[in-house]
Amino acid sequence: MTSAAYVLHSRPYKESSALVDFFTAQGRVRAVLRAARGKVGSIARPFAPLELELRGRGELKTVGRLESAGIPLLLSGEALFSGLYLNELLIRLLPAEDPHPVMLEHYGLTLQALAAGRALEPLLRAFEWRLLDELGYGFALDRDQHDQPIDPAALYRWQQDIGLVPVIQLQPGVFQGRELLAMAEADWQTPGALAAAKRLMRQALAPHLGGRPLVSRELFMTLKESKRD
């Protein structure tokens, strides 16, 4: 069976093969790509739309056929690090062979937007939110834990498995109601909404990352710091 696919990660395996993590319509799969140093290996690179045929029934598959399905997207600079961040999120969060066709389509569209030079932060926040929602970890942004509408003048904190909890006084990590309502509408013109969305997504993703930092995020921060120097 042939499937649309993208390479998430690849590393050498045995003498001339590679062990490749693919994102496909059937979910995240790991497969051995033989003769990876030849022509087929040059095709198996991140951000390139592919057609993939896998063989085998075990957890580790073998690539039967791999062909290009379009022009590879050329990402550079911060867009490249953002693409690597998306890939690492998918590897870390997606269960193996758990189909998420909507997420696959959203991933492809996000890569195209990155390649076109669209603003990074809104794209990353939308991807993180969609991924959490697809995996069943989503929560309402316009209603609190008691299913009451978010008050734009109130303060809230996010709590795992509960959602948004009203708080009385300002404390580290809380969110203003107006920021949450702006996030719900993807209104990034509201002052502070984009920065608040970044904080909220970090809080919501952290429990599912097993306490290990994201390598791509650290590389991204290093890149930004080097640009300031």
Side-chain angles (χ1 to χ4, degrees):
M1 180 178 178
T2 302
S3 171
Y6 289 90
V7 170
L8 296 177
H9 185 260
S10 178
R11 59 184 181 276
Y13 181 70
K14 296 186 177 179
E15 290 187 1
S16 60
S17 300
L19 200 58
V20 185
D21 286 292
F22 291 99
F23 187 22
T24 76
Q26 286 72 49
R28 179 180 60 80
V29 296
R30 181 166 293 174
V32 175
L33 177 65
R34 295 197 173 99
R37 297 176 186 173
K39 181 180 178 181
V40 69
S42 66
I43 296 173
R45 53 182 174 173
F47 319 128
L50 304 167
E51 284 190 2
L52 172 69
E53 183 179 319
L54 296 173
R55 295 173 183 165
R57 297 184 178 180
E59 185 175 334
L60 183 60
K61 308 284 194 298
T62 300
V63 175
R65 184 170 66 86
L66 186 68
E67 294 181 0
S68 173
I71 299 172
L73 297 168
L74 300 177
L75 304 183
S76 61
E78 293 187 355
L80 172 60
F81 283 95
S82 297
L84 295 174
Y85 172 68
L86 302 186
N87 287 3
E88 190 174 7
L89 277 183
L90 291 170
I91 290 172
R92 295 275 296 273
L93 269 66
L94 278 183
E97 299 187 45
D98 185 13
H100 287 281
V102 172
M103 199 69 229
L104 178 65
E105 181 181 6
H106 187 69
Y107 173 77
L109 292 173
T110 303
L111 291 182
Q112 291 176 28
L114 288 173
R118 293 254 308 271
L120 299 180
E121 295 293 336
L123 291 173
L124 297 181
R125 302 296 81 82
F127 187 87
E128 292 163 340
W129 178 254
R130 178 66 67 89
L131 182 57
L132 284 168
D133 197 47
E134 276 282 309
L135 295 175
Y137 305 134
F139 51 93
L141 289 166
D142 57 356
R143 306 190 79 81
D144 68 14
Q145 67 174 129
H146 304 297
D147 201 33
Q148 295 300 306
I150 294 294
D151 179 352
L155 296 171
Y156 299 85
R157 63 182 171 85
W158 178 83
Q159 189 169 330
Q160 186 182 2
D161 299 327
I162 293 178
L164 296 165
V165 180
V167 296
I168 303 226
Q169 60 187 35
L170 190 62
Q171 52 189 268
V174 300
F175 302 90
Q176 297 181 21
R178 63 178 181 80
E179 295 170 341
L180 296 167
L181 292 174
M183 289 181 220
E185 298 294 328
D187 174 14
W188 306 122
Q189 302 306 312
T190 297
L194 202 51
K198 186 173 186 176
R199 286 192 294 113
L200 180 59
M201 289 299 96
R202 284 201 175 190
Q203 291 180 24
L205 287 167
H208 312 294
L209 292 172
R212 291 186 295 124
L214 289 161
V215 175
S216 53
R217 182 183 287 166
E218 293 181 341
L219 291 173
F220 199 3
M221 294 306 297
T222 301
L223 175 67
K224 285 192 170 184
E225 289 172 3
S226 67
K227 284 189 172 183
R228 294 192 194 105
D229 293 341

